[in-house]
Amino acid sequence: MQNNTRFHFIFISLVLALQSCAIKRAQLVSSVADGYQLVWADEFEKDGVPNPANWTYEKGFVRNHEYQWYQPENAFCKGGFLVIEARKEQKANPDFVAESRDWRKSRKDINYTSACLITRGLQHFQYGRFEMRARVNISDGLWPAFWTLGEKGNWPANGEIDIMEYYKGKILANMVSTAKDGKQKWFSKTKPVAELGGERWAKQFHVWRMDWDEESINLFVDDMLLSKVLQSDLDNDDRIGLHPFKQKHYILLDLAIGGDNGGDPSKTVFPNRFEVDYVRVYQK
């Protein structure tokens, strides 16, 4: 019985691996047929630390009053996937300062850890097709994202594109620049996961894609268009000479917890994972 169980496990693993290879190839063929050529990719095929030629890391408490402390050790490659693992673990905040008004320093303890991988200073691109195949967990309090930021200018004038973002039961496709008053100018579309299939949908891998050129930015999931915005609408309204989406952008992958938008993770089981099959960039 044990031998049969082991054989069944090996067989299922082999089938899943073959399916993954077939899907990867199909996406590549589809993009080539659309006139794109692959210019950069990370397939995460080698177990261990993510490729240092592609990724560095954010560290500590970073943004949005999120609960997690970012650290490199929560990201690793295993079995052909990049795993970003959120963990519930308590330790002292090394940046703690008593009576500080900075939320990053006023927290005495770290209660959650995770990772944010970033290509800044290593890989950057202007225009093209950006693609990720991944599986996201939709438990309460989790906030995974696949996004880009412009190299020049301070946020939001540098431009942000959220190709994939999830929190509180919905996936989001966002772009942001600055309005005339210097505040944020958001272009945001949401889709409830319940409309896509709920838990069953979330247990599967999906392909998130951005098609970006000098005319518009288009965001998709599984070839379904979520958002299309013209470049003329995306320009910064409060300044001249820095169009946030007519410059090179770098890529970020992260799994945040709680904070301004993530929700309450107190009933969520940890450790929890954001699993990435590949990230690719094509250009014409």
Side-chain angles (χ1 to χ4, degrees):
M1 183 67 178
Q2 289 180 344
N3 288 337
N4 288 339
T5 301
R6 185 183 178 196
F7 175 79
H8 180 72
F9 175 77
I10 293 173
F11 176 76
I12 293 298
S13 298
L14 180 60
V15 169
L16 292 174
L18 291 172
Q19 287 178 341
S20 178
C21 289
I23 291 169
K24 286 183 179 184
R25 180 169 177 78
Q27 293 297 135
L28 180 60
V29 170
S30 175
S31 291
V32 171
D34 289 343
Y36 290 95
Q37 292 187 350
L38 186 66
V39 296
W40 175 82
D42 200 327
E43 307 284 339
F44 309 111
E45 297 293 346
K46 184 178 180 180
D47 284 3
V49 176
N51 188 347
N54 292 332
W55 308 101
T56 184
Y57 304 88
E58 291 188 325
K59 297 178 181 179
F61 294 124
V62 180
R63 64 179 72 83
N64 300 323
H65 305 96
E66 294 160 2
Y67 299 168
Q68 80 288 337
W69 176 269
Y70 278 141
Q71 56 187 25
E73 51 263 46
N74 289 57
F76 54 91
C77 300
K78 185 175 182 180
F81 301 100
L82 167 67
V83 178
I84 302 176
E85 189 168 78
R87 302 168 186 162
K88 189 174 183 179
E89 53 182 337
Q90 189 172 59
K91 51 187 178 180
N93 177 5
D95 297 332
F96 173 69
V97 176
E99 300 181 2
S100 173
R101 294 185 178 182
D102 184 339
W103 68 273
R104 299 170 182 84
K105 298 178 180 180
S106 64
R107 294 177 177 177
K108 186 175 182 179
D109 296 316
I110 296 164
N111 296 306
Y112 297 90
T113 62
S114 189
C116 177
L117 292 82
I118 182 170
T119 70
R120 187 174 189 175
L122 298 171
Q123 307 291 342
H124 54 193
F125 310 93
Q126 182 175 348
Y127 307 144
R129 171 170 290 179
F130 292 55
E131 193 172 79
M132 174 191 72
R133 183 172 184 261
R135 176 165 57 190
V136 298
N137 191 293
I138 60 172
S139 297
D140 292 342
L142 300 183
W143 188 355
F146 165 44
W147 51 303
T148 75
L149 288 170
E151 291 194 325
K152 296 179 181 179
N154 296 320
W155 190 88
N158 61 332
E160 174 183 330
I161 309 169
D162 300 319
I163 306 170
M164 184 284 294
E165 186 175 24
Y166 167 83
Y167 56 76
K168 294 181 180 177
K170 58 185 181 290
I171 58 171
L172 301 94
N174 306 318
M175 288 155 258
V176 61
S177 55
T178 54
K180 289 181 179 179
D181 57 6
K183 295 182 180 179
Q184 303 155 22
K185 182 173 69 171
W186 285 94
F187 299 82
S188 183
K189 297 290 185 180
T190 65
K191 188 77 172 177
V193 172
E195 292 183 8
L196 298 169
E199 289 283 354
R200 182 177 179 182
W201 181 91
K203 290 179 180 179
Q204 301 170 344
F205 280 82
H206 301 279
V207 176
W208 279 269
R209 186 178 99 228
M210 169 173 68
D211 288 350
W212 168 31
D213 59 29
E214 60 185 7
E215 300 297 330
S216 66
I217 297 175
N218 304 268
L219 304 179
F220 303 80
V221 60
D222 295 333
D223 293 325
M224 177 177 64
L225 180 64
L226 297 174
S227 178
K228 178 177 181 176
V229 183
L230 297 177
Q231 286 275 29
S232 56
D233 294 327
L234 287 165
D235 202 357
N236 290 316
D237 294 337
D238 69 335
R239 65 187 65 196
I240 298 173
L242 177 63
H243 193 302
F245 305 107
K246 292 187 177 182
Q247 65 164 324
K248 290 182 178 179
H249 277 226
Y250 55 90
I251 297 170
L252 302 93
L253 293 169
D254 67 65
L255 177 52
I257 305 164
D260 295 344
N261 291 322
D264 180 8
S266 60
K267 296 181 180 180
T268 291
V269 176
F270 291 90
N272 217 297
R273 292 180 168 186
F274 171 23
E275 299 166 287
V276 183
D277 190 5
Y278 62 78
V279 177
R280 296 172 176 169
V281 178
Y282 306 82
Q283 290 179 331
K284 290 187 176 180

